[in-house]
């Protein structure tokens, strides 16, 4: 009987140990899964520091999805480019055709009234495109610029390439399904075809647009603007961006000044916002967000508030700011080591009160061997990066270059 009791006692002990181990593993898995500081209730999302390129959040960021009227960011880029190149002028008047007037008069779409035969300036049409997402205005601009939907699409693709985006599907300037463009739809293309871009694509295009055409923000930060439909009729436009200053979902300790929303059945509710926080421009993209418009705006507001509450930007001037161990690297077949320097000064977002050394900086050099280089090395040649592991954020790589040349050892 004692042996039986002893057996059961041992069995219970083993069971308890297994249970503790399994629970421990479960706890570990939970901690690991919760390492992302931010949560976006969206099909895809991407957030970056526009200057450094540091990724602050990513979710399905490289998969292409329909983006609805968010495409008007790219449309605006082409228009601003062509204004700068004197192909268009701000005060140039565009006459409205019957097909465009029909688009503008369709209650299914976002619009300001456009009267057939009436003329509107490029500035009026751009303002209405970006503030209230006017589809008729967008169509009028693109057709005046390029002559056809297909021709303007080529310009959009070319502009996207300048922003570093090459793998996209563009069907029109508005963001609607192809068939909704009526007379101006693409022939031999499915009527349900929609523009397809990734959240990362949208962020890169937005970054390029804001950096190279800063007048963008003078447009998108307007809360109100009047649109003269006719000499006797005026339409007051209210910017649909609920995150702008003094609006209900304006983040604290920072200021939003753009950028664009969108919505179709396939794309769902999409939003791109940008603003300055702690002196840094942040771009946040969310595609097919869950819930209503207010839920979408609240989600982005929460992101910005948490960023500024829990993180801060830290300037990095030199490699030794991390560790003196990262200031030089061996060079195979070289006469000596080479010293390392940051390719350029940068700023990184870190949890408040966290030191750079706590990011476990790791040097990754280019080539087959990630611990040493192979001669010859030229001065200022980029030779690798310092990888940072930041709690709650994706890893961040900071490029490093050789501060001096290293020649090959002579065989004699």
């Amino acid at each position: 009987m004692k042996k039986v009791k002893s057996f059961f006692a041992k069995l219970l002990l083993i069971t308890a140990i297994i249970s503790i181990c399994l629970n421990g593993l479960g706890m570990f898995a939970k901690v690991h899964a919760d390492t992302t500081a931010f949560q976006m209730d969206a099909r895809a999302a991407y957030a970056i520091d526009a200057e450094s390129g540091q990724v602050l959040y990513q979710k399905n960021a490289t998969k292409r999805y329909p983006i609805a009227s968010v495409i008007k960011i790219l449309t605006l880029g082409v228009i601003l480019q062509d204004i700068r190149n004197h192909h268009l002028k701000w005060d140039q008047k565009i006459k409205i055709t019957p097909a465009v007037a029909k688009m503008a008069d369709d209650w299914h779409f976002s619009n300001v009234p456009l009267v057939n035969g009436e003329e509107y300036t490029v500035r009026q049409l751009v303002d209405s495109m970006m503030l209230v997402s006017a589809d008729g205005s967008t169509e009028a601009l693109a057709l005046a610029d390029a002559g056809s939907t297909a021709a303007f699409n080529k310009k959009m693709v070319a502009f996207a390439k300048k922003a570093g985006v090459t793998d996209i599907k563009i069907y029109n300037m508005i963001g609607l399904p192809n068939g909704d463009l009526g007379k101006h739809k693409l022939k031999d293309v499915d009527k349900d075809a929609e523009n397809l871009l990734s959240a990362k694509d949208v962020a890169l295009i937005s970054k390029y647009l804001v950096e190279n055409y800063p007048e963008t923000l003078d447009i998108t930060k307007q809360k109100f603007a009047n649109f003269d439909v006719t000499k006797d009729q005026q339409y007051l436009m209210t910017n649909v961006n609920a995150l702008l200053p003094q609006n209900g979902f304006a983040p604290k300790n920072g200021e939003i000044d753009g950028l664009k929303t969108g919505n179709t059945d396939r794309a769902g509710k999409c939003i791109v916002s940008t603003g300055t926080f702690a002196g840094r421009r942040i771009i946040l993209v969310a595609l097919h967000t869950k819930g209503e418009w207010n839920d979408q705006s609240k989600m982005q507001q929460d992101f910005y508030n948490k960023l500024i509450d829990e993180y801060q930007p830290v300037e990095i001037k030199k490699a030794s700011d991390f560790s003196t161990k990262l200031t030089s690297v061996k060079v195979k077949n070289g006469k000596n080591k080479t010293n390392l320097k940051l390719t350029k000064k940068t700023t990184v977002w870190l949890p408040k009160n966290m030191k750079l050394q706590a990011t476990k900086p790791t040097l990754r050099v280019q080539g087959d061997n990630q611990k040493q280089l192979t001669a010859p090395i030229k001065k200022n040649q980029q030779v690798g990066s310092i990888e940072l592991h930041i709690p709650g954020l994706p890893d961040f790589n900071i490029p490093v270059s050789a501060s001096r040349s290293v020649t090959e050892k002579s065989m004699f």
Side-chain angles (χ1 to χ4, degrees):
M1 188 69 178
K2 287 183 179 179
K3 289 183 178 180
V4 173
K5 287 183 179 180
S6 175
F7 170 77
F8 279 109
K10 289 179 180 178
L11 183 61
L12 287 171
L13 178 61
I14 291 170
T15 303
I17 291 171
I18 292 173
S19 177
I20 290 169
C21 289
L22 288 175
N23 287 336
L25 288 171
M27 288 172 64
F28 177 80
K30 183 177 181 181
V31 169
H32 182 73
D34 290 343
T35 53
T36 299
F38 306 99
Q39 295 295 329
M40 303 289 285
D41 197 4
R43 178 186 288 169
Y46 195 68
I48 57 171
D49 179 297
E51 184 179 349
S52 69
Q54 182 184 5
V55 179
L56 304 173
Y57 180 78
Q58 55 188 349
K59 177 182 179 181
N60 296 329
T62 58
K63 188 173 181 179
R64 295 183 306 184
Y65 295 107
I67 64 167
S69 285
V70 165
I71 198 65
K72 288 166 183 165
I73 294 170
L74 185 51
T75 302
L76 177 65
V78 174
I79 297 300
L80 294 181
Q81 168 189 266
D82 287 352
I83 290 172
R84 187 173 294 181
N85 293 336
H86 308 293
H87 179 66
L88 291 173
K89 296 180 179 179
W90 282 114
D91 59 356
Q92 177 180 333
K93 292 185 176 181
I94 296 175
K95 189 174 183 178
I96 301 303
T97 64
V100 171
K102 182 179 179 181
M103 167 68 73
D105 195 43
D106 194 322
W107 66 269
H108 294 92
F109 309 136
S110 301
N111 272 308
V112 294
L114 299 177
V115 179
N116 179 35
E118 193 76 29
E119 292 183 331
Y120 304 92
T121 66
V122 168
R123 187 175 296 279
Q124 283 180 285
L125 296 174
V126 166
D127 281 349
S128 61
M129 175 177 72
M130 298 308 292
L131 269 66
V132 296
S133 200
D135 294 336
S137 298
T138 307
E139 189 174 51
L141 284 165
L143 295 175
D145 180 83
S148 69
T149 300
F152 193 80
N153 288 350
K154 290 180 179 179
K155 286 193 168 190
M156 295 171 76
V157 171
F159 190 92
K161 285 182 178 179
K162 292 180 180 179
V165 177
T166 57
D167 187 21
I168 59 176
K169 295 289 185 183
I170 298 293
Y171 297 104
N172 61 70
M173 71 299 280
I174 297 173
L176 293 170
N178 179 51
D180 286 349
L181 269 69
K183 178 182 177 181
H184 296 298
K185 68 182 180 181
L186 297 180
K187 296 179 180 179
D188 302 321
V189 173
D190 189 277
K191 64 181 179 63
D192 295 323
E194 291 190 39
N195 302 316
L196 296 174
L197 287 83
S198 70
K200 182 177 180 180
D201 293 337
V202 174
L204 291 177
I205 292 168
S206 301
K207 177 179 182 294
Y208 181 83
L209 178 65
V210 170
E211 288 177 349
N212 292 277
Y213 300 90
E215 59 268 35
T216 295
L217 300 175
D218 292 330
I219 299 165
T220 59
K221 70 182 182 182
Q222 299 177 93
K223 295 183 71 173
F224 306 100
N226 287 316
F227 187 91
D228 295 324
V229 181
T230 65
K231 291 181 179 179
D232 303 318
Q233 182 184 358
Q234 195 173 72
Y235 180 89
L236 177 62
M237 298 184 295
T238 301
N239 197 321
V240 297
N241 189 345
L243 283 86
L244 292 175
Q246 287 81 52
N247 281 359
F249 295 99
K252 62 183 180 181
N253 300 321
E255 188 167 300
I256 297 294
D257 48 17
L259 203 52
K260 191 72 190 71
T261 61
N263 182 36
T264 65
D265 290 342
R266 282 186 63 201
K269 296 176 181 64
C270 304
I271 183 170
V272 185
S273 63
T274 185
T276 305
F277 296 83
R280 309 291 298 178
R281 177 160 295 282
I282 306 299
I283 295 172
L284 174 58
V285 179
L287 306 181
H288 207 301
T289 62
K290 304 298 188 294
E292 302 303 321
W293 288 110
N294 283 350
D295 298 320
Q296 179 188 70
S297 299
K298 181 67 166 58
M299 179 179 67
Q300 293 228 329
Q301 180 192 45
D302 289 344
F303 174 92
Y304 289 115
N305 287 346
K306 185 168 186 177
L307 176 68
I308 208 68
D309 281 345
E310 300 183 11
Y311 291 82
Q312 64 181 0
V314 176
E315 185 179 16
I316 306 169
K317 297 181 179 179
K318 52 189 184 299
S320 60
D321 287 347
F322 298 105
S323 169
T324 54
K325 294 179 180 179
L326 302 180
T327 57
S328 66
V329 64
K330 293 179 180 179
V331 180
K332 184 180 179 180
N333 299 329
K335 291 184 176 180
N336 45 39
K337 294 182 177 181
T338 185
N339 292 331
L340 299 177
K341 63 180 182 178
L342 300 186
T343 302
K344 62 177 181 178
K345 294 178 182 178
T346 191
T347 297
V348 60
W349 287 85
L350 297 179
K352 289 185 175 179
N353 301 318
M354 182 179 187
K355 294 182 178 180
L356 280 172
Q357 292 76 13
T359 62
K360 301 178 182 178
T362 306
L363 178 63
R364 308 287 187 191
V365 300
Q366 295 172 346
D368 296 333
N369 189 331
Q370 292 191 334
K371 293 185 178 180
Q372 65 179 12
L373 297 168
T374 301
I377 301 293
K378 294 182 179 180
K379 183 179 180 180
N380 297 325
Q381 176 184 335
Q382 185 173 323
V383 295
S385 63
I386 296 173
E387 183 179 73
L388 306 185
H389 306 280
I390 306 168
L393 303 184
D395 291 345
F396 182 46
N397 293 299
I398 300 175
V400 291
S401 302
S403 59
R404 64 180 178 182
S405 299
V406 178
T407 57
E408 287 186 85
K409 288 181 180 178
S410 173
M411 294 180 65
F412 304 97

